[in-house]
Amino acid sequence: METTFGTFTGRDWRNLLTDIYDGQAVPVTGSELSILPGQGGLTLYEHVARELVCSFKLDESQLPPGYGLLQATGAYLQNPRNQADDLHYEARSILCGTAWPVPDPLRKLAEIGGFNLFVSTTVDSLLDQAINEARFAGAKRTRCIAYCEKSQVQDLPENFSASPQPT
């Protein structure tokens, strides 16, 4: 039976907290937690999508309401003259061109001390930043292992479970 957080029983919470304490739970985050403060619920990736639409002068009326990065990049790539590399560099410029504040959902997750391994499916460093701010007063102390198809794949070190360093 699938359980949502809204209907968790006392036993469900106890079991989850036990798994967190025992290091048996790993939070996996995506773009949904990158809600920008003061932006009415807009995520970082929705903001990047809007910036791309402006940068490339795309017709916003051709995009669905509440469009995201996937729809914006798809609209850009519909034109065969447009280059994927231009899209990559423009998105990278938008992401790297601002010191983004840590979203509250990521900050709250980072404050849960039982988690030492986190998985993010995003291309930003906001989760890493959130952990460093919540646990180390902003000092860079997390280990970040990023997947890149152009470099050798890294894995967790053999002694990972003995290490208190968040990864």
Side-chain angles (χ1 to χ4, degrees):
M1 177 176 150
E2 186 174 315
T3 306
T4 63
F5 285 120
T7 59
F8 253 37
T9 65
R11 182 183 313 161
D12 293 328
W13 281 110
R14 184 197 69 220
N15 293 345
L16 176 60
L17 293 172
T18 299
D19 285 344
I20 292 170
Y21 179 79
D22 290 342
Q24 299 299 309
V26 177
V28 179
T29 68
S31 62
E32 298 83 5
L33 293 185
S34 66
I35 299 167
L36 296 173
Q39 298 294 315
L42 191 71
T43 69
L44 172 62
Y45 293 88
E46 291 167 332
H47 175 79
V48 170
R50 280 147 186 75
E51 290 289 321
L52 289 172
V53 166
C54 290
S55 294
F56 292 123
K57 297 177 178 46
L58 299 176
D59 184 358
E60 196 169 25
S61 69
Q62 297 299 309
L63 294 165
Y67 66 89
L69 192 55
L70 182 62
Q71 292 85 8
T73 57
Y76 173 79
L77 293 172
Q78 288 287 322
N79 185 333
R81 294 185 311 251
N82 292 341
Q83 301 294 313
D85 279 350
D86 291 338
L87 181 60
H88 166 80
Y89 286 109
E90 189 65 28
R92 184 175 178 183
S93 174
I94 294 165
L95 280 169
C96 296
T98 300
W100 301 102
V102 172
D104 286 337
L106 289 179
R107 182 183 322 282
K108 289 176 182 175
L109 179 63
E111 290 172 351
I112 301 173
F115 291 132
N116 276 336
L117 178 63
F118 298 81
V119 176
S120 174
T121 62
T122 63
V123 298
D124 61 73
S125 60
L126 289 175
L127 179 58
D128 184 47
Q129 185 180 335
I131 298 166
N132 287 322
E133 285 183 13
R135 299 186 184 186
F136 309 112
K140 173 68 173 131
R141 298 236 175 103
T142 58
R143 177 183 341 180
C144 187
I145 301 172
Y147 172 77
C148 177
E149 64 182 54
K150 294 182 180 181
S151 65
Q152 184 174 353
V153 175
Q154 298 177 21
D155 202 351
L156 294 173
E158 287 185 31
N159 63 349
F160 173 76
S161 62
S163 171
Q165 181 182 23
T167 302

